[in-house]
Structures are given as structure tokens and as C-alpha cells.
């Protein structure tokens, strides 16, 4: 087993995940594992970084497949005895105007963005070493979705005491409500599925950070959610106001918080600052 430190990025074959992996290869004092659902695309991304003189490792990871997550867990445990930095970046979004039925959009988006990330955390958070860093990629769209929810739902989702089980129940209910065509009646927004999944990520991050503080308070692990802003990627589109380099600034700041840092922890971070849990229109000037 190596004493080398190790960082891992999910959904890292393109876009923000690829750019974060590249920057970690340059700046993180240890090994960096690039993961991707599609092995061929992942290996092509590794080759691209190798051509730049960088040396990432590769491991296949489909966040919607528990067997795949557990294979990564076993690899990290065997090779490194744990994990120092985890960046949960894997995510999907349907474009506005996509003709796919809303119920299918909700199921697919929730499965990857929220449930997949939660499963990765369930398996990998126990491996996080002392002074480890965890970054969950959320979005300002989550704030917009939250403000479109009914007061009752908002109260539940903003609660400081909501449990992971309760949160998973609410996220699954949203998917069921869209299948039954009652999402609006039940208090959900009906035009921001991606945002609802990111409400889940931000709330989950608060729950996970609380658990880490209770169970491993002395280990100085820092876990946060962040918004990279509107970035020019396949998902963000060509009109976005941020370059990839600008988009990775906040996730990289959180991934590389110094070992003596006291925080942030359990926060939503935007532009390297802790943001209140409310929608801020400056995230998305076009809205």
C-alpha cells in the first residue's frame, strides 16, 4: 500500500471535471485519479493530459452503478489505504426545450446528479483521511429551484436537522410526482429539474458535513458544496460568461484548502465565498 496522497474526480473525461483533474495534476502533491463512465473516453482524456506532460491515473466509474463505485472504493483502499481529496463532479442536464418526457428527464437527472453522488459518498466518505477535502458540485440553479418550491417544502429542505433518509425520500418523491404529473400541485417547480437535483446536493452536503463533525471532529475534514458559475462547457453552452479556467477556481480552492484551515465546512461556496442559501441572480445574468 502506497503512502502517496490521492485525489479523485468523478465525471472527469470532459468539461469542468477534466479541467479540475488537469489542475490537480499540476498542483496536488500526490496521485490524481481521473474517472469516467465510458472507459474509452476516460482513457482518451488521460492520453490528452499525458501529452501535456501530466500523469493522471484512470479508473472506470459509473456513479449510477453501485458495483462500479465499490470497485473504485476497493481500488483506493488497496492502493492508498484511503482518499485525500474527492471532487463529486459527475452530472447530467437536459437542454431547455428537450422533447424527452419530463418524468424521464427527472428520473435520469436525479439518478446521476443526486442519487449517484450520494452513493459515491456513502462508499467513499469512510475512506477520507484526516485533513481530507470533499467538494460536491452544486449550482445556483438549486437556489432558483428552492425559491420556486412551496413554503412547506422550502422549510423541510432548508432545515438544519433534516436527515439523509428524509432528504432521499423528498428527492424520490419529486421523481414520482413528475411521473404522476402532480409536481406543481405538490409544491415543486415544474421547469427546473436540474435545479431540484442540485437542491439535493447542497442539502446533502450540509448533512454530510454535520455527520463528519459529529463522528470525526478531530480529523479536520472539510466538506462543501459549490457553484462554479455559468461555464462554457458542453453542458453550459457557448454563451456562458465563464471560461473553464474561471469555472474551476472555486472547486480548486475547496479541494486544496490548507491543512490548518478551520473552514469553510458544510457550506455552499461561490466565487470562493460562503453564500447564503438563496438564489442570487448575479450567478446567471441572463435570467
Amino acid at each position: 500500500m502506497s503512502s502517496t496522497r490521492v485525489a479523485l474526480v468523478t465525471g472527469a473525461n470532459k468539461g469542468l471535471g477534466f479541467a479540475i483533474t488537469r489542475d490537480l495534476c499540476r498542483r496536488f502533491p500526490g496521485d490524481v485519479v481521473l474517472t469516467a463512465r465510458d472507459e474509452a473516453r476516460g482513457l482518451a482524456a488521460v492520453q490528452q493530459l499525458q501529452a501535456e506532460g501530466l500523469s493522471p491515473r484512470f479508473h472506470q466509474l459509473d456513479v449510477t452503478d453501485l458495483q462500479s463505485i465499490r470497485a473504485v472504493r476497493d481500488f483506493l483502499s488497496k492502493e492508498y489505504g484511503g482518499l485525500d481529496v474527492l471532487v463529486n463532479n459527475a452530472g447530467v442536464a437536459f437542454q431547455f426545450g428537450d422533447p424527452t418526457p419530463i418524468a424521464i428527464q427527472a428520473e435520469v437527472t436525479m439518478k446521476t446528479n443526486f442519487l449517484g453522488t450520494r452513493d459515491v459518498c456513502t462508499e467513499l466518505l469512510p475512506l477520507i483521511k484526516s485533513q481530507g477535502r470533499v467538494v460536491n458540485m452544486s449550482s445556483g440553479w438549486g437556489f432558483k429551484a428552492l425559491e420556486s418550491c412551496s413554503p412547506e417544502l422550502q422549510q423541510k429542505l432548508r432545515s438544519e436537522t433534516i436527515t439523509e433518509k428524509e432528504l432521499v425520500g423528498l428527492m424520490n418523491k419529486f421523481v414520482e410526482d413528475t411521473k404522476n404529473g402532480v409536481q406543481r400541485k405538490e409544491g415543486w417547480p415544474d421547469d427546473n429539474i436540474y435545479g431540484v437535483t442540485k437542491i439535493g446536493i447542497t442539502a446533502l452536503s450540509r448533512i454530510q458535513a454535520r455527520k463528519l463533525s459529529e463522528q470525526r471532529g478531530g480529523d479536520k475534514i472539510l466538506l462543501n458544496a459549490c457553484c462554479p458559475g455559468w461555464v462554457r462547457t458542453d453542458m453550459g453552452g457557448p454563451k456562458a460568461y465563464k471560461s473553464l479556467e474561471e469555472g474551476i477556481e472555486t472547486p480548486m480552492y475547496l479541494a486544496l484548502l490548507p491543512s490548518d484551515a478551520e473552514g469553510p465546512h458544510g457550506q455552499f461556496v461561490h466565487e470562493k465565498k460562503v453564500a447564503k442559501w438563496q438564489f442570487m441572480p448575479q450567478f446567471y445574468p441572463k435570467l
Side-chain angles (χ1 to χ4, degrees):
M1 189 195 304
S2 169
S3 60
T4 306
R5 296 181 72 208
V6 61
L8 181 140
V9 185
T10 70
N13 60 287
K14 64 177 184 175
L16 282 166
F18 180 77
I20 290 166
T21 303
R22 173 194 273 141
D23 213 35
L24 283 169
C25 285
R26 290 172 178 159
R27 298 169 58 196
F28 176 72
D31 287 354
V32 180
V33 184
L34 182 157
T35 71
R37 179 177 51 187
D38 184 292
E39 188 159 341
R41 288 177 185 168
L43 290 170
V46 165
Q47 284 186 324
Q48 192 178 335
L49 293 178
Q50 286 171 339
E52 296 175 20
L54 304 170
S55 305
R57 298 192 68 175
F58 175 73
H59 204 291
Q60 191 274 341
L61 173 60
D62 179 351
V63 302
T64 67
D65 179 351
L66 207 47
Q67 202 173 340
S68 173
I69 297 169
R70 287 175 175 161
V72 167
R73 177 200 65 191
D74 294 345
F75 159 77
L76 291 168
S77 196
K78 179 169 172 262
E79 296 261 332
Y80 299 97
L83 178 61
D84 296 279
V85 174
L86 171 62
V87 180
N88 280 310
N89 167 77
V92 298
F94 286 82
Q95 296 299 320
F96 288 112
D98 189 298
T100 306
I102 188 168
I104 293 172
Q105 289 193 34
E107 185 169 15
V108 169
T109 310
M110 190 65 72
K111 190 175 181 184
T112 297
N113 295 8
F114 176 75
L115 296 171
T117 298
R118 182 221 179 203
D119 286 344
V120 168
C121 289
T122 300
E123 299 297 331
L124 299 191
L125 286 187
L127 295 185
I128 298 289
K129 295 181 182 178
S130 177
Q131 299 177 345
R133 305 289 180 251
V134 182
V135 185
N136 292 332
M137 299 291 272
S138 188
S139 170
W141 286 105
F143 290 129
K144 185 164 174 57
L146 186 64
E147 294 205 336
S148 302
C149 288
S150 67
E152 183 191 5
L153 268 178
Q154 286 195 45
Q155 189 177 2
K156 286 179 182 174
L157 291 161
R158 291 180 193 270
S159 166
E160 296 288 336
T161 55
I162 187 173
T163 65
E164 190 169 322
K165 186 177 179 184
E166 288 167 343
L167 177 62
V168 171
L170 284 171
M171 293 292 110
N172 283 330
K173 182 179 185 302
F174 169 70
V175 174
E176 285 305 308
D177 287 345
T178 61
K179 285 180 183 173
N180 296 323
V182 296
Q183 68 275 16
R184 192 71 236 160
K185 182 170 148 290
E186 292 295 314
W188 301 101
D190 55 7
D191 59 350
N192 191 358
I193 291 167
Y194 177 78
V196 173
T197 69
K198 295 302 186 176
I199 297 174
I201 289 295
T202 303
L204 181 67
S205 301
R206 297 169 80 187
I207 293 165
Q208 290 169 338
R210 199 168 70 221
K211 270 194 208 164
L212 284 169
S213 296
E214 288 166 4
Q215 297 167 9
R216 299 183 60 185
D219 284 347
K220 297 185 176 176
I221 296 166
L222 299 176
L223 180 153
N224 293 284
C226 75
C227 173
W230 188 24
V231 184
R232 290 188 294 275
T233 61
D234 284 357
M235 190 185 288
K239 294 177 182 174
Y241 65 94
K242 276 192 174 187
S243 66
L244 267 181
E245 291 68 34
E246 291 166 329
I248 67 171
E249 279 182 15
T250 294
M252 286 301 302
Y253 156 73
L254 293 171
L256 298 180
L257 283 167
S259 57
D260 60 350
E262 301 277 317
H265 181 54
Q267 302 292 340
F268 180 91
V269 181
H270 175 63
E271 306 294 8
K272 299 196 274 193
K273 293 186 179 72
V274 172
K276 286 184 181 169
W277 204 10
Q278 61 194 41
F279 179 64
M280 282 161 277
Q282 67 267 29
F283 284 16
Y284 298 97
K286 72 165 190 166
L287 290 176

